[in-house]
Amino acid sequence: MSEENNSAPAPETTTNGAPKGRQGGEAVSVPSFRLREESDRRRSAETRAQQLEAQLVALQGEYEKTKSGLGQIQNQHAQDMHLIGLGFQANSVRRFFRREYSDSVAEMQADQRPTFDQWLEASKADPLYSVHFERLNVSQPAATEPEPAPVQNQSDSLLASLREALNANPNAGATQPAAHTGRQYSGDEIASIRGKQGGGLGAQKDSILATLRAEGLIK
């Protein structure tokens, strides 16, 4: 044989000059430690995702709990303000009404439950609740009437009329006082005389003065 026939064929190469694999150009397999690293990273990511999901569920639960608590506080405040507006000042009585309302509507369908104001109004005739409304009506003070103006007695009326008559006539009383004739003059009578005489006592002035002196109302 010739020398050319005995020589081994040259190995095939890839386009970049690297020798091909035995299976007709297949890529070299990935090392096992790389596979383990990728597997560990995947498991770590999945674990972290599960933890975040659990935290999100917990936060949603806390939010709903806080929202429900706030709604209860707002409802209690509104009910308290309504009861206070009606005159129920005792906290124990307001707590009693709130508890009774809660127990009553708990047995009803959600769309059939009355509001607190409606339930309270409908419960006024119930013997369990009417006693509180009756006590409320008793405890509220009745409207006070204005005090009547003090009634001026007859002597005060006579003196006031006499002073007005004397002030209207500065010369009154300058002459000798007249003797008392026994005639009595009431306050209405003096006022009638003054009305007819334009504010004075007219011809009956001396007689009226004498009567008042005799009664000790003037000097």
Side-chain angles (χ1 to χ4, degrees):
M1 295 175 130
S2 63
E3 184 178 355
E4 294 179 358
N5 293 334
N6 292 331
S7 61
E12 297 181 3
T13 60
T14 60
T15 56
N16 60 1
K20 289 185 177 181
R22 294 182 178 180
Q23 301 299 325
E26 293 181 358
V28 179
S29 60
V30 178
S32 60
F33 75 91
R34 291 290 181 86
L35 292 175
R36 286 194 299 271
E37 290 177 354
E38 291 296 330
S39 179
D40 292 342
R41 280 195 292 267
R42 181 182 300 175
R43 283 194 297 267
S44 178
E46 291 176 352
T47 301
R48 181 59 177 166
Q50 292 174 356
Q51 292 174 348
L52 292 176
E53 183 178 1
Q55 291 177 1
L56 179 59
V57 172
L59 289 175
Q60 289 176 339
E62 290 295 331
Y63 169 75
E64 293 298 333
K65 182 178 179 180
T66 302
K67 183 179 179 181
S68 176
L70 178 61
Q72 292 178 357
I73 292 175
Q74 290 175 336
N75 289 336
Q76 177 178 332
H77 176 72
Q79 293 169 3
D80 266 348
M81 294 305 297
H82 180 70
L83 291 170
I84 291 174
L86 294 177
F88 293 105
Q89 302 298 326
N91 186 42
S92 58
V93 176
R94 298 199 303 269
R95 184 170 56 250
F96 167 75
F97 277 119
R98 292 198 310 267
R99 184 173 58 248
E100 288 295 315
Y101 168 73
S102 178
D103 293 344
S104 298
V105 300
E107 303 174 357
M108 303 179 183
Q109 298 294 333
D111 57 347
Q112 297 179 354
R113 295 174 181 174
T115 63
F116 180 76
D117 300 359
Q118 294 171 343
W119 173 85
L120 192 65
E121 182 66 26
S123 301
K124 286 184 176 180
D126 192 303
L128 181 62
Y129 312 121
S130 60
V131 61
H132 296 286
F133 288 96
E134 292 172 359
R135 291 175 181 174
L136 181 65
N137 294 333
V138 171
S139 63
Q140 290 179 347
T144 57
E145 298 181 357
E147 295 182 0
V151 179
Q152 193 174 25
N153 58 38
Q154 184 176 1
S155 298
D156 292 339
S157 299
L158 289 172
L159 291 175
S161 300
L162 180 59
R163 291 191 184 97
E164 292 180 2
L166 293 176
N167 290 335
N169 183 8
N171 295 322
T175 60
Q176 184 67 25
H180 177 42
T181 61
R183 170 78 184 276
Q184 300 293 328
Y185 293 92
S186 66
D188 293 337
E189 188 175 2
I190 294 176
S192 176
I193 294 173
R194 292 183 62 243
K196 294 178 181 180
Q197 299 297 327
L201 296 177
Q204 301 180 26
K205 178 187 68 175
D206 293 337
S207 176
I208 292 174
L209 294 177
T211 299
L212 296 179
R213 287 192 188 95
E215 294 178 355
L217 298 178
I218 62 173
K219 294 181 181 180

